[in-house]
Amino acid sequence: MSFMTMLSKKFSLPAQDEALPGRSDAIVPGEAHFVNGRSLQGPYPETFKTVLFGMGCFWGAERLFWQLPGVHVTAVGYAGGHTPNPTYHETCTGRTGHTEAVFVVYDPDQTSLSDLLKVFWENHDPTQGMRQGNDTGTQYRSAIYVGSEEDLALAEQSRDTYQSALKAGSHMASITTEIRQLDEFYFAEDYHQQYLAKNPAGYCGIGGTGVSCPTGL
C-alpha cells in the first residue's frame, strides 16, 4: 500500500466490509472511577441519563466532564464504528470506524443535556472533520451519540445554534460533528480511564474556537 493510499484511508471511514473483524470478548473495566470511586459499568440510578461525546483525544475531554456538577461517572472508549470490541491500537489504524468517545452518566435533576452540550461545543473545534488540532485521523472526529429521539433533536438544534454563533463570530467553517443515536459503546483499556487524574502532566489536546455557545439551547 502506498503512502498516499494509507494517508487517504486515515481520513475516510471504512465500509463495514473493510473494517477489522474485532473479537467477541469485550474490554471490561477492572477498576472503579479513579476520581470518584463509582463503578464505570453501573448499574446506574434508573433516573440518570447517558450521552457520548467525541471531541478529539479522549483524555482531556473526559476530565472536562467528570468535574461538572450532576455528572455521576465518566468513562472513555470507542463508538460510532463497525469493529466489535476494538482495542486502542486497532482504533488508531482508522480501520474500525470508531471515534474516541467520552461516556457521561448524569443526573438530569442536577444538570441538563443542554449544559453538557455547551461544554462540548466550547471545548473543541467541531469544524475540523477527521482531526482535532494536531491529532489526525477518523478516531479524532467530532461526534455526539445519544440514546433517544428527543435527545437527538436537542443535539441537532444545539448544532444549528452553535453554527450561527460561529458565523456571528467570523468563524465561517461548517460544523462537521456526527450526530446520531448510539449503536454501541466499547470501554477502552483501564490505563486510558481517567488518564489525566492518574497522569496530571499527561497530554491534553483540548482547545476550542473561542466562540461561546448560547445558553438556553
Side-chain angles (χ1 to χ4, degrees), residues 2 6 8 16 27 35 37-38 67 78 93-94 105 112 114 132 141 150 170 176 186 192-193 200 215-216:
S2 70
M6 292 175 63
S8 66
Q16 188 160 5
I27 295 172
V35 177
R38 296 172 181 144
Q67 298 179 60
Y78 317 109
T93 68
V105 182
S112 67
S114 293
Q132 193 61 213
R141 69 188 185 274
E150 179 182 7
S170 299
T176 59
Y186 301 101
H192 288 298
Q193 305 296 341
T215 56

Side-chain angles (χ1 to χ4, degrees), residues 8 24 26 50 53 61 74 80 121 126 141 159 172 181 192 195:
S8 66
S24 58
T50 63
F53 295 116
T74 59
W121 293 121
R141 69 188 185 274
R159 173 199 59 207
M172 303 309 292
Q181 286 188 255
H192 288 298
Y195 182 86

Side-chain angles (χ1 to χ4, degrees), residues 92-205:
C92 287
T93 68
R95 295 179 58 207
T96 72
H98 296 287
T99 191
E100 294 189 13
V102 180
F103 178 61
V104 180
V105 182
Y106 66 99
D107 181 354
D109 289 334
Q110 295 189 50
T111 192
S112 67
L113 179 55
S114 293
D115 294 332
L116 300 177
L117 286 165
K118 180 176 173 63
V119 173
F120 169 79
W121 293 121
E122 291 182 352
N123 286 279
H124 78 303
D125 185 343
T127 70
Q128 295 191 338
M130 300 301 182
R131 71 181 184 91
Q132 193 61 213
N134 293 325
D135 295 324
T136 59
T138 56
Q139 75 271 27
Y140 298 116
R141 69 188 185 274
S142 176
I144 303 169
Y145 302 120
V146 297
S148 70
E149 290 285 347
E150 179 182 7
D151 286 351
L152 181 64
L154 182 59
E156 290 173 341
Q157 179 187 353
S158 76
R159 173 199 59 207
D160 297 343
T161 300
Y162 195 57
Q163 183 71 77
S164 296
L166 288 175
K167 290 182 178 179
S170 299
H171 191 103
M172 303 309 292
S174 296
I175 289 174
T176 59
T177 303
E178 177 184 356
I179 303 177
R180 60 184 173 90
Q181 286 188 255
L182 178 67
D183 294 323
E184 192 75 55
F185 169 70
Y186 301 101
F187 286 98
E189 295 83 347
D190 277 335
Y191 71 93
H192 288 298
Q193 305 296 341
Q194 300 84 59
Y195 182 86
L196 290 180
K198 301 170 185 174
N199 304 275
Y203 170 75
C204 175

Side-chain angles (χ1 to χ4, degrees), residues 11-87:
F11 293 96
S12 61
L13 290 169
Q16 188 160 5
D17 61 358
E18 297 174 324
L20 295 175
R23 57 199 50 77
S24 58
D25 294 333
I27 295 172
V28 178
E31 304 167 1
H33 196 282
F34 187 79
V35 177
N36 63 32
R38 296 172 181 144
S39 171
L40 301 188
Q41 289 185 287
Y44 318 117
E46 61 180 23
T47 58
F48 285 13
K49 299 182 65 175
T50 63
V51 62
L52 281 106
F53 295 116
M55 45 196 302
C57 176
F58 50 21
W59 293 344
E62 186 188 14
R63 182 169 61 182
L64 285 172
F65 291 100
W66 83 54
Q67 298 179 60
L68 298 178
V71 170
H72 176 74
V73 76
T74 59
V76 296
Y78 317 109
H82 302 300
T83 298
N85 302 305
T87 65

